[in-house]
């Protein structure tokens, strides 16, 4: 509506500038950074602190964190200087003052009622820009936003600041994320639903790191659907990538493919979507514990994020350095890049880096130091058990191969967890490593074979195949789910037909319902 009004030249003078600035803010909330820059320039109020604050937000969103911090600092200094730090009793109306100086030029100073909102906006940008270099300062800035916004009834800025504090908790590895929960409740109560969607997106990521992909998949899918209903296409693309990642780890090839195609087709998809697309394609190889193939694919995506000053510090950044170290592919370079980048400050990424350091140090012949780095990594990620198991397996493999630490207890714990979660690739690796460490274990897991099928010679693996066939999966889908080759599944299905006497797949399905046994 606002864009159409501008195109029709329905607004003039101060009204035109006000409309452009409001449209700038709308574009920022929608993650449309180029549009935001166009609108703020179109407003023609370059000296107005509102314009500078909006320009700072757009710069941060597009990845220019240094420029964003510079602009935000200028706005903070100006507003603090104008008000001498005293915002008590100021009104909070959204518009400019609509007056002119004696020469007829529009005034560039906001009226007092706008200063609290402008200050909150600039403080938010500065906090986000500083979060990597100085997390404590960034947290203090966000708390100031909450205080100023609460004092002046600025619900939007209060919600955004509480959400940002919650995102800090998320990056810090806090599985409870109390500020994020509070931000979501506040956003829903006040109708600021883009923050509710963002909170849901981060909570789905927490579900992955704590409980695994089966818990994350429905949450990520619901978030994508909610973002679609609200027209938040950038967030929708991110939620679709998170959905694809969970599906890939579960062996659901159809969902993975569909979600990636949808996400990458969105015109305003953020840089994380492009970076994560090859990472998602790597995850089935990671689940089969094919580390060289997984590392090669992850390496195609994650480096895209290092040139973007506001990229989300997702946990796959640390995985990139860990995999490069595990396969000894330019591993020192990867560790140093992560060590010097702000995304490396997230708890999951710091843990991945510590595991990678343990591998490299143990490989270099320093077993005691390698064990100490491994222990440090364990402490960093205790609240994220599923992601901890994923990250530490390459380090446990290195500990067995290079003779440092005590990998057997952790391998036993992880083997039981992988078997219970139905992750045969990782479980098989744990069993192989236990045997290599002199602590062999028998294979457990798989569905029990009913007596009628056992009497016909059906094995546990064939029973697993039968259960998936009964659910309607094709042989190719069954192979993907069980991490087998399609030819192996073809053989299992042929043997099931022969052993049960079933004429076709429908006949096999009746064996899972009892109909065939009754016949």
């Amino acid at each position: 509506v606002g864009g159409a009004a501008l195109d029709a030249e329905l607004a003039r003078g101060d009204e035109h500038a006000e409309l452009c600035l409001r449209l700038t803010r709308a574009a920022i909330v929608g993650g449309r950074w180029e549009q935001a820059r166009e609108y703020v320039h179109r407003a023609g109020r370059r000296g107005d602190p509102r314009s500078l604050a909006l320009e700072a937000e757009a710069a941060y969103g597009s990845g220019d964190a240094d420029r964003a911090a510079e602009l935000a600092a200028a706005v903070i200094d100006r507003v603090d200087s104008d008000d001498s730090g005293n915002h008590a009793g100021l009104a909070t109306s959204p518009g400019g003052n609509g007056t002119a100086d004696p020469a007829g030029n529009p005034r560039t100073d906001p009226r007092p009622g706008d200063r609290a909102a402008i200050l909150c906006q600039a403080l938010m940008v500065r906090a986000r820009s500083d979060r990597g270099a100085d997390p404590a300062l960034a947290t203090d800035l966000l708390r100031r936003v909450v205080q100023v916004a609460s004092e002046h009834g600025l619900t939007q800025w209060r919600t955004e600041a509480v959400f940002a504090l919650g995102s800090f908790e998320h990056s810090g590895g806090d599985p409870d994320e109390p500020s994020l929960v509070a931000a979501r409740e506040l956003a829903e109560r006040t109708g600021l639903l883009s923050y509710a969607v963002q909170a849901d997106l981060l909570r789905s990521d927490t579900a992955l790191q704590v409980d695994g992909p089966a818990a994350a998949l429905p949450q990520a899918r619901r978030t994508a659907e909610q973002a679609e209903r609200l027209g938040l296409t950038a967030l929708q693309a991110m939620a679709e990538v998170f959905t694809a990642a969970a599906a890939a780890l579960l062996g659901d090839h159809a969902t993975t493919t569909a979600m990636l195609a949808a996400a990458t087709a969105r015109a305003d998809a953020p840089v994380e979507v492009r970076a994560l697309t090859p990472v998602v394609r790597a995850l089935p190889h990671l689940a089969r514990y094919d580390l060289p193939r997984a590392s090669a694919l992850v390496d195609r995506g994650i480096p895209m994020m290092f040139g973007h000053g506001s990229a989300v510090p997702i946990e796959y950044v640390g995985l990139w350095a860990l995999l490069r170290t595990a396969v000894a592919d330019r591993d020192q370079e990867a560790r140093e890049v992560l060590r010097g980048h702000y995304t490396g400050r997230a708890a999951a990424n710091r843990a991945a880096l510590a595991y990678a350091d343990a591998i490299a140090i143990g490989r270099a012949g320093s077993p005691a130091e390698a064990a100490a780095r491994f222990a440090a990594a364990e402490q960093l990620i205790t609240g994220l058990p599923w992601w901890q198991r994923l990250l530490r397996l390459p380090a446990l493999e290195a500990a067995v191969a290079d003779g440092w630490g005590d990998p057997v207890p952790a391998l036993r714990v992880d083997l039981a967890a992988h078997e219970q979660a139905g992750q045969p690739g990782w479980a098989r690796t744990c069993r192989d490593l236990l045997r290599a460490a002199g602590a062999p274990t028998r294979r457990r897991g798989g569905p029990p074979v009913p007596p009628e099928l056992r009497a016909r010679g059906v094995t546990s693996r064939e029973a697993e195949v039968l259960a998936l066939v009964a659910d309607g999966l094709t042989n190719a889908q069954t192979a993907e789910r069980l991490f087998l080759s399609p030819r192996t599944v073809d053989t299992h299905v042929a043997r099931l037909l022969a052993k049960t006497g079933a004429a076709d797949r429908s006949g096999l399905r009746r064996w899972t319902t009892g109909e065939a046994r009754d016949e």
Side-chain angles (χ1 to χ4, degrees), residues 89-122:
L90 297 181
T92 56
S93 57
N97 58 18
T99 62
D101 64 19
N105 299 314
R107 286 178 59 99
T108 58
D109 288 333
R111 62 187 177 186
D114 293 324
R115 290 174 187 159
I118 295 168
L119 178 62
C120 288
Q121 186 175 15

Side-chain angles (χ1 to χ4, degrees), residues 3-12 16 42:
L6 282 182
D7 292 340
E9 298 183 349
L10 299 179
R12 309 255 177 158
H16 171 271
R42 197 168 174 180

Side-chain angles (χ1 to χ4, degrees), residues 5-26:
L6 282 182
D7 292 340
E9 298 183 349
L10 299 179
R12 309 255 177 158
D14 287 345
E15 191 177 56
H16 171 271
E18 174 65 22
L19 179 56
C20 287
L21 293 179
R22 291 190 182 216
L23 286 169
T24 303
R25 180 63 188 160

Side-chain angles (χ1 to χ4, degrees), residues 243-254:
T243 304
L249 287 164
L250 291 170
D252 185 347
H253 179 71

Side-chain angles (χ1 to χ4, degrees), residues 147-385:
Q147 181 269 319
V148 172
S150 299
E151 181 181 355
H152 296 286
L154 300 174
T155 304
Q156 176 177 325
W157 292 115
R158 179 182 167 214
T159 304
E160 186 165 339
V162 174
F163 170 78
L165 287 167
S167 73
F168 282 20
E169 293 165 358
H170 176 80
S171 296
D174 181 354
D176 295 324
E177 302 167 335
S179 295
L180 199 61
V181 174
R184 195 200 184 287
E185 292 173 353
L186 183 60
E188 230 179 22
R189 189 166 65 248
T190 57
L192 297 169
L193 295 183
S194 70
Y195 299 112
V197 174
Q198 292 177 71
D200 286 343
L201 186 60
L202 292 184
R203 293 294 287 169
S204 74
D205 189 47
T206 299
L208 172 69
Q209 295 183 67
V210 173
D211 297 316
L217 181 60
Q219 292 192 36
R221 193 191 297 271
R222 285 195 300 271
T223 303
E225 292 168 353
Q226 186 183 23
E228 181 180 20
R229 286 195 298 273
L230 295 170
L232 299 170
T233 51
L235 286 174
Q236 182 183 356
M238 283 294 292
E240 286 164 342
V241 168
F242 280 28
T243 304
L249 287 164
L250 291 170
D252 185 347
H253 179 71
T255 299
T256 301
T257 302
M259 289 293 103
L260 282 182
T264 55
R266 308 211 178 280
D268 56 350
V271 66
E272 290 87 354
V273 170
R274 297 196 306 275
L276 286 176
T277 295
V279 174
V280 171
R281 292 184 177 131
L283 295 179
H285 300 287
L286 183 62
R288 298 186 190 99
Y289 207 67
D290 181 353
L291 298 191
R293 181 60 178 155
S295 180
L297 284 167
V298 171
D299 196 42
R300 294 181 187 176
I302 292 302
M304 296 181 194
M305 298 178 60
F306 293 127
H308 196 277
S310 61
V312 177
I314 47 179
E315 61 272 18
Y316 299 102
V317 179
L319 179 64
W320 165 77
L322 176 62
L323 289 175
R324 287 252 299 243
T325 302
V327 301
D329 174 21
R330 298 161 293 152
D331 52 307
Q332 182 175 355
E333 173 195 347
R335 292 192 302 276
E336 293 311 310
V337 167
L338 181 59
R339 212 181 309 276
H341 196 262
Y342 75 90
T343 56
R345 295 182 182 272
N349 293 333
R350 284 190 291 141
L353 182 57
Y355 284 128
D357 285 338
I359 294 171
I361 291 167
R363 191 182 287 157
S366 299
E369 188 179 352
R373 292 297 180 94
F374 182 89
E378 296 280 88
Q379 289 298 314
L380 286 167
I381 201 169
T382 52
L384 308 173

